[in-house]
Amino acid sequence: AQSVAQPEDQVNVAEGNPLTVKCTYSVSGNPYLFWYVQYPNRGLQFLLKYITGDNLVKGSYGFEAEFNKSQTSFHLKKPSALVSDSALYFCAVRDPSDYKLSFGAGTTVTVRA
Amino acid sequence: DADVTQTPRNRITKTGKRIMLECSQTKGHDRMYWYRQDPGLGLQLIYYSFDVKDINKGEISDGYSVSRQAQAKFSLSLESAIPNQTALYFCATSDATGMGETQYFGPGTRLLVL
């Protein structure tokens, strides 16, 4: 069975500071990993994904994520957060042999001016 | 994503009523999904369809049914709505070709069952 954990319900940072949203996963094989963002009253928007290759993945809006196989983690990062990054962030994992995408519970990010 | 639309965006209904949520996509994807989102639980898969003739139950299909009317349309029905079906419902699509297919989501339908 595959699963995702987002250990922090909320992350608060000041604008201009680095932002990190944590994600750990459990899957039997090599994982496909995804990050989505949900702005208020909007659907989930795809940010980035890891399939294979370089452990550092770059995505939309200046976000990046680092795949760490030994720690089974896929943390989302942004070097300098903006107030407009305030949103709900979801990590998701899929076993390549399966159709199912499993989501974490989400982390609410608040960036204060 | 404007390529995936959902109607209605908001709906209030009463216990026991039958309602239908609709999803349309212009992305040309074969695969479509229905999820519900509850606070603190992430997204849970209700039903999925890999093509018009292939419909499958997800994790939480009890109390729901679906119809895939065309490649571009996938509807979710609540046959007899109950209050614990109050949630945010999302439709998603994906393209089966290539590695690590990405799911693209609609804007959601907020449903309140009284």
Side-chain angles (χ1 to χ4, degrees), chain B residues 38-76:
Chain B
D38 297 280
L41 292 181
L43 277 72
Q44 297 172 278
L45 183 63
I46 306 172
Y47 270 94
Y48 64 101
S49 171
F50 284 175
D51 65 42
V52 174
K53 297 181 180 179
D54 180 24
I55 294 177
N56 304 278
K57 294 181 178 181
E59 305 167 274
I60 55 165
S61 59
D62 288 348
Y64 301 95
S65 62
V66 292
S67 174
R68 185 83 184 266
Q69 300 95 325
Q71 186 203 36
K73 295 183 182 297
F74 192 35
S75 300
L76 176 72

Side-chain angles (χ1 to χ4, degrees), chain A residues 76-87:
Chain A
L76 181 70
K77 300 180 181 182
K78 187 171 184 179
S80 178
L82 301 173
V83 172
S84 58
D85 293 328
S86 298

